[in-house]
Amino acid sequence: LAGNWESEQFHNECKNCSGWSKVEYLGYLNQKDNYLLMKNSHVGIINYLPVSNHLNCLPNKIYEYFASGLVVLMSNIKFWEKEFEDKAFYHNPKDSLSLATQIKFIDQNKDKIAKWGKVGGDYIRAQKSWESEIRKLIQFYKSFHPTLK
């Protein structure tokens, strides 16, 4: 587990949970260390609650996980399910048992689902990268300035 806590109170609440002994908390990581962590992981988790500012957002972390070849486990936010379809696993973020079940399934089936990380990475490179979007951007600019070649 890496990153900053929303509050020290929430951090302390989590540390007092029985499962905390199974957590390796790394704290805030710089970009290089975060990249190394992703390269040595097999799943990336985005556990956003379905609140108004999450319902139509696309967090960078999703793309970072896909680009790193990780299997992605994300909240079952309808916008995300539509955007990423069968390229990720989804869970109810209000149900910790749902999340735990998905993590256990992924961990027990690493060999069978390794392809999911590749599928997500291929999707990001083919559909959501600057290289894949450059033609659209050029066409957009040309629509404002027809003399551009």
Side-chain angles (χ1 to χ4, degrees), residues 18-71:
S18 61
W20 185 255
S21 63
K22 298 178 179 162
V23 173
E24 181 183 350
Y25 177 57
L26 304 173
Y28 174 82
L29 298 178
N30 63 37
Q31 187 176 18
K32 179 183 174 188
D33 290 338
N34 190 53
Y35 177 76
L36 290 172
L37 176 63
M38 286 190 289
K39 283 298 178 191
N40 291 306
S41 300
H42 64 273
V43 63
I45 301 171
I46 296 100
N47 193 45
Y48 281 20
L49 292 171
V51 295
S52 61
N53 62 328
H54 295 162
L55 296 179
N56 295 304
C57 74
L58 290 169
N60 289 342
K61 193 58 63 186
I62 293 173
Y63 297 97
E64 291 172 5
Y65 289 160
F66 277 133
S68 295
L70 295 176
V71 173

Side-chain angles (χ1 to χ4, degrees), residues 101-144:
T101 300
Q102 289 279 28
I103 292 170
K104 188 174 182 178
F105 174 80
I106 291 168
D107 188 54
Q108 291 174 342
N109 295 281
K110 285 182 225 174
D111 294 336
K112 294 178 186 173
I113 62 167
K115 66 175 182 152
W116 283 65
K118 182 177 178 349
V119 167
D122 290 348
Y123 167 73
I124 293 301
R125 283 182 285 284
Q127 303 289 325
K128 302 294 181 179
S129 66
W130 279 111
E131 292 79 11
S132 68
E133 294 291 313
I134 192 70
R135 285 181 290 285
K136 293 177 192 173
L137 186 59
I138 290 170
Q139 289 302 92
F140 176 73
Y141 285 139
K142 284 182 178 180
S143 72
F144 290 102

